[in-house]
C-alpha cells in the first residue's frame, strides 16, 4: 500500500526548480553605493533660448555637480566649460534666462535648505562670479517665472518679509535691482502671470479646513482691477489649474479641470463667472497634461 505522505515526483521537481531559481538570482555581493547614489556622468541638458548653447549638470573634478556649457555646434563635451564653482552640496535646479546668456539656478548654504536664486553669465570665456538675486539670512526663494517678452527681468517669490509666506518680487537680474511686485495676503501658496503683460494675475490658495484649492484672479494691478476675487474652487480629490489667460481683453482663460468628469480636460473658462465656455481637449481614458503655449 502506498503511503499518502510520500511526496510525488511532481512536487519534488517543483521544490528543486524554486531552489534553483533562488540560487541563480541571489547574490551576497553588495551593490556599490556609488552605483545607487553617485553622480551621473552628465544630466539635465538644457538648450539656450537661441539654440546656440547647451547647458547640463556634471560633476567637477572634486565630484560636485556643477553647470557646464558648450556651443551646440561643438558636440564634444570635453570642450565644455564649467560655469559655476560649487564645492559643497552641488547644483540640481537651473534654467536659462530669456536673454540666452544668463543661467539662473537655485542653491542653499551647506544644506540649510534656504535656497537662494543666483544668476551667472554662461557665455563668458572667462569664469564669472555668480550674483545672489535673493539675498538675506534665512531667506528662501521660490516660484521663479520668466517671460520671453521681458527678457531682462524675472519674477520670483521670497519669504524675506514673513518667513511663513512668499511675496513676489520683480527683479532685473543683470543689475540685481528688484522691487516688491505683489504682496501675499497670508494664504497664497503660488502665483501665476498673464503672458502678454507679465503681470501677476493669478493666486492659488489651499484651504486648511478641507484641503480644497481655490484659484483667485484679478483684471490688472491698479485700482479696482487690482482686487482679487475667487474664480473657481477644486474640492479635495479634484484636479485642475489655470494654464494661462486668453488674449481676449481679459474675458477668458485656459484651464485644466476634472470637475464633473473622471479625467482632467483642457477648457476655456469665463473669467467673470468661472463657467466653461468651450472644451478644447478631453479624453475619457486619460488626463490632459503638458500644455505648452507659445
Amino acid at each position: 500500500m502506498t503511503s499518502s505522505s510520500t511526496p510525488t515526483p511532481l512536487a519534488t521537481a517543483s521544490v528543486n526548480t524554486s531552489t534553483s531559481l533562488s540560487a541563480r538570482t541571489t547574490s551576497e555581493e553588495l551593490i556599490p553605493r556609488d552605483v545607487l547614489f553617485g553622480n551621473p556622468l552628465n544630466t539635465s541638458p538644457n538648450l539656450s533660448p537661441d539654440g546656440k548653447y547647451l547647458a547640463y549638470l556634471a560633476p567637477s573634478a572634486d565630484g560636485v555637480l556643477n553647470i557646464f556649457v558648450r556651443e551646440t555646434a561643438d558636440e564634444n563635451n570635453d570642450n565644455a566649460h564649467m560655469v559655476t564653482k560649487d564645492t559643497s552640496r552641488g547644483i540640481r535646479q537651473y534654467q536659462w534666462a530669456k536673454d540666452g546668456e544668463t543661467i539662473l539656478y537655485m542653491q542653499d548654504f551647506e544644506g540649510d535648505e534656504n535656497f537662494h536664486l543666483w544668476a551667472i553669465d554662461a557665455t563668458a570665456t572667462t569664469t564669472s562670479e555668480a550674483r545672489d538675486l535673493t539675498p538675506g539670512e534665512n531667506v528662501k526663494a521660490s516660484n521663479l517665472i520668466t517671460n520671453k517678452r521681458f527678457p531682462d527681468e524675472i519674477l520670483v517669490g521670497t519669504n524675506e518679509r514673513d518667513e511663513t509666506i512668499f511675496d513676489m518680487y520683480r527683479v532685473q537680474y543683470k543689475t540685481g535691482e528688484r522691487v516688491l511686485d505683489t504682496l501675499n495676503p497670508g494664504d497664497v501658496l503660488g502665483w501665476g502671470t498673464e503672458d502678454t503683460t507679465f503681470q501677476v494675475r493669478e493666486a492659488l490658495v489651499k484651504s486648511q479646513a478641507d484641503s480644497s484649492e481655490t484659484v483667485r484672479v484679478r483684471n490688472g494691478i491698479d485700482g479696482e482691477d487690482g482686487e482679487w476675487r475667487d474664480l473657481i474652487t477644486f474640492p479635495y480629490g479634484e484636479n485642475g489649474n489655470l494654464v494661462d489667460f486668453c488674449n481676449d481683453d481679459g474675458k477668458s482663460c485656459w484651464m485644466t479641470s476634472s470637475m464633473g468628469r473622471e479625467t482632467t480636460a483642457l477648457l476655456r473658462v469665463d473669467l467673470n463667472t468661472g463657467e466653461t465656455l468651450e472644451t478644447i481637449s478631453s479624453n475619457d481614458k486619460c488626463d490632459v497634461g503638458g500644455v505648452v503655449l507659445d
Side-chain angles (χ1 to χ4, degrees):
M1 184 173 76
T2 304
S3 172
S4 60
S5 63
T6 303
T8 64
L10 180 59
T12 302
S14 176
V15 171
N16 289 341
T17 300
S18 176
T19 303
S20 177
L21 286 174
S22 176
R24 289 202 304 268
T25 58
T26 302
S27 172
E28 295 182 358
E29 182 179 354
L30 295 177
I31 300 175
R33 185 177 301 173
D34 286 346
V35 173
L36 298 175
F37 304 108
N39 287 324
L41 181 62
N42 49 64
T43 187
S44 303
N46 200 328
L47 280 173
S48 62
D50 58 11
K52 292 181 179 180
Y53 297 96
L54 174 69
Y56 58 90
L57 299 178
S60 65
D62 296 325
V64 180
L65 281 181
N66 275 272
I67 302 171
F68 287 72
V69 172
R70 66 167 172 81
E71 294 183 0
T72 52
D74 184 356
E75 298 184 1
N76 187 356
N77 282 350
D78 292 337
N79 295 329
H81 70 281
M82 191 171 77
V83 175
T84 53
K85 298 181 292 185
D86 192 86
T87 59
S88 179
R89 193 179 189 186
I91 297 169
R92 288 171 174 78
Q93 302 177 62
Y94 81 97
Q95 69 181 72
W96 285 94
K98 296 303 182 182
D99 68 347
E101 300 174 351
T102 307
I103 281 181
L104 308 168
Y105 67 95
M106 304 287 284
Q107 185 59 298
D108 66 354
F109 299 88
E110 301 294 338
D112 66 358
E113 299 295 324
N114 292 321
F115 285 90
H116 286 204
L117 178 65
W118 300 79
I120 193 167
D121 186 352
T123 62
T125 55
T126 58
T127 302
S128 58
E129 293 296 324
R131 306 181 297 279
D132 188 354
L133 300 179
T134 54
E137 187 177 359
N138 297 323
V139 170
K140 294 182 180 180
S142 71
N143 213 155
L144 171 62
I145 307 176
T146 62
N147 189 307
K148 66 181 181 182
R149 294 176 176 82
F150 299 81
D152 294 331
E153 65 184 50
I154 58 175
L155 285 163
V156 61
T158 80
N159 66 341
E160 61 186 85
R161 181 180 64 88
D162 183 334
E163 65 178 10
T164 64
I165 56 177
F166 288 80
D167 304 315
M168 289 297 282
Y169 287 80
R170 192 172 296 270
V171 181
Q172 307 296 321
Y173 59 83
K174 292 185 178 181
T175 65
E177 178 186 355
R178 63 195 182 108
V179 295
L180 178 62
D181 185 272
T182 306
L183 197 68
N184 194 325
D187 58 355
V188 174
L189 298 182
W191 305 95
T193 60
E194 192 270 326
D195 186 62
T196 304
T197 62
F198 203 30
Q199 293 178 350
V200 177
R201 291 186 53 198
E202 175 202 358
L204 179 64
V205 179
K206 187 166 186 175
S207 169
Q208 298 298 315
D210 59 11
S211 295
S212 62
E213 294 186 347
T214 297
V215 175
R216 291 180 187 158
V217 295
R218 61 181 177 180
N219 293 337
I221 59 175
D222 299 318
E224 292 183 1
D225 284 344
E227 305 226 352
W228 293 96
R229 65 183 189 279
D230 292 353
L231 176 63
I232 191 169
T233 295
F234 296 100
Y236 177 74
E238 299 287 356
N239 296 314
N241 68 283
L242 194 155
V243 176
D244 206 342
F245 296 87
C246 298
N247 189 19
D248 58 0
D249 297 324
K251 296 178 181 178
S252 61
C253 67
W254 309 113
M255 180 174 285
T256 60
S257 174
S258 65
M259 301 265 281
R261 60 180 75 237
E262 295 298 320
T263 58
T264 58
L266 178 62
L267 313 172
R268 186 166 68 88
V269 173
D270 189 303
L271 274 173
N272 290 315
T273 66
E275 295 180 358
T276 298
L277 300 175
E278 182 182 2
T279 299
I280 306 301
S281 179
S282 66
N283 191 302
D284 292 337
K285 296 182 178 180
C286 63
D287 294 325
V288 166
V291 180
V292 178
L293 303 175
D294 188 9

